[in-house]
């Protein structure tokens, strides 16, 4: 899969698309908190994201119903892989060490994390 790069504005819009699945421009605008971005700003973001092949649409007369072409989990996985590559020299071990030693996990949370890893090893 090609690397997915989203700006913060694009991520905000993708969150709306992921939540709603299929949505028209008016409803996209209604989904934003105040102060709402201009319709032209959203249209520009949508066009840019279409060019990245991240968003598609279906035409109904003059209206477009937009939908995400990439799943949220797929995007998150790509972001995490990219972060591990950039900051931890592609070492999952270095990432796990940093993550577990710098996060404020309780003993219970660490045990739950260990159980998740143990379950993955069994598969």
């Amino acid at each position: 899969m090609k690397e997915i790069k989203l700006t913060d504005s694009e991520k905000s819009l993708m969150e709306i698309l992921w939540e709603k699945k299929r949505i028209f421009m008016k409803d996209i605008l209604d989904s934003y908190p105040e102060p709402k971005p201009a319709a032209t700003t959203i249209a520009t973001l949508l066009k840019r994201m279409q060019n990245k092949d991240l968003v598609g649409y279906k035409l109904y007369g003059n209206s477009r119903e937009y939908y995400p072409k990439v799943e949220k989990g797929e995007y998150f996985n790509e972001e995490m892989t990219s972060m591990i590559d950039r900051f931890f020299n592609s070492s999952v071990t270095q990432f796990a060490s940093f993550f577990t030693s710098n996060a404020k996990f309780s003993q219970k949370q660490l045990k739950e994390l260990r159980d998740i890893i143990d379950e993955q090893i069994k598969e």
Side-chain angles (χ1 to χ4, degrees):
M1 184 187 137
K2 67 177 182 180
E3 191 171 335
I4 302 169
K5 287 290 183 196
L6 294 175
T7 65
D8 289 342
S9 298
E10 291 169 341
K11 285 177 192 171
S12 296
L13 179 51
M14 281 303 290
E15 286 292 342
I16 292 169
L17 294 171
W18 285 323
E19 179 186 340
K20 304 294 184 180
K21 310 287 189 238
R22 301 184 86 71
I23 189 168
F24 291 95
M25 174 66 87
K26 178 195 175 304
D27 300 318
I28 291 173
L29 288 168
D30 289 344
S31 297
Y32 275 91
E34 294 292 341
K36 296 184 184 299
T40 53
T41 301
I42 299 302
T44 299
L45 289 173
L46 286 166
K47 182 64 177 164
R48 207 163 53 195
M49 292 161 67
Q50 288 169 46
N51 290 340
K52 293 180 180 182
D53 202 30
L54 301 173
V55 173
Y57 67 87
K58 184 172 181 177
L59 204 53
Y60 294 96
N62 291 332
S63 297
R64 292 179 180 185
E65 183 182 46
Y66 294 95
Y67 57 89
K69 292 177 77 175
V70 64
E71 296 293 325
K72 187 174 185 176
E74 184 181 1
Y75 171 74
F76 181 73
N77 185 50
E78 185 66 34
E79 280 286 295
M80 288 301 297
T81 301
S82 177
M83 182 192 70
I84 291 169
D85 289 347
R86 284 191 324 268
F87 295 110
F88 301 99
N89 299 319
S90 302
S91 170
V92 175
T93 305
Q94 285 180 17
F95 166 72
S97 176
F98 175 84
F99 180 70
T100 56
S101 63
N102 288 298
K104 304 295 182 218
F105 290 120
S106 68
Q107 287 297 308
K108 180 180 183 237
Q109 290 170 319
L110 287 169
K111 287 176 185 174
E112 289 171 352
L113 185 57
R114 183 180 61 201
D115 290 344
I116 291 168
I117 292 169
D118 287 345
E119 186 62 34
Q120 291 296 311
I121 291 170
K122 289 178 188 175
E123 294 180 359

